Amino acid sequence: MSQSVDSLLRLQLDKLQAFDRLLIEEHACLLRAATDQLPALTERKNSLLAEIDALERERIVQFGAQTEAGATSAPPLWSAVQTLARSIAEANQRNGAMISALMRSTEGALQILRGNAEGVDLYGAHGQGQPGNGPVRLQVSA
């Protein structure tokens, strides 16, 4: 079924806006350390990404030449799609960096709890960093 370039771009823009909202939701979960919500968000993101990919393939097949960057006949919606796609890529990279940092922090904590803190940076009594050098004894005083 063939669609007009404007209706196809409108669909792409709608899906990209929905994806952007998911990234905002994911970012909020990361800030709250609500990692239990991330798998469901990832599933929703993957599903929406498949829809966006299918729309993009259809756009390329039907209207690729009309909507290429710099084309004088490109519809105004194409610029909005490109701008939002760039913004989404940046937000996705930011969230990915946050997830990586959270994973490194969690792995470091697990190594300490397992008594294998070698190579894990610990903090001294005055906040100065100290490299881990073996089993760690946690001392708690009231």
Side-chain angles (χ1 to χ4, degrees), residues 112 120-132 136:
I112 290 169
V120 176
D121 289 334
L122 302 174
Y123 293 97
H126 301 287
Q128 73 277 16
Q130 298 178 351
V136 176

Side-chain angles (χ1 to χ4, degrees), residues 127-142:
Q128 73 277 16
Q130 298 178 351
N133 56 2
V136 176
R137 291 186 320 180
L138 300 177
Q139 297 179 351
V140 179
S141 62

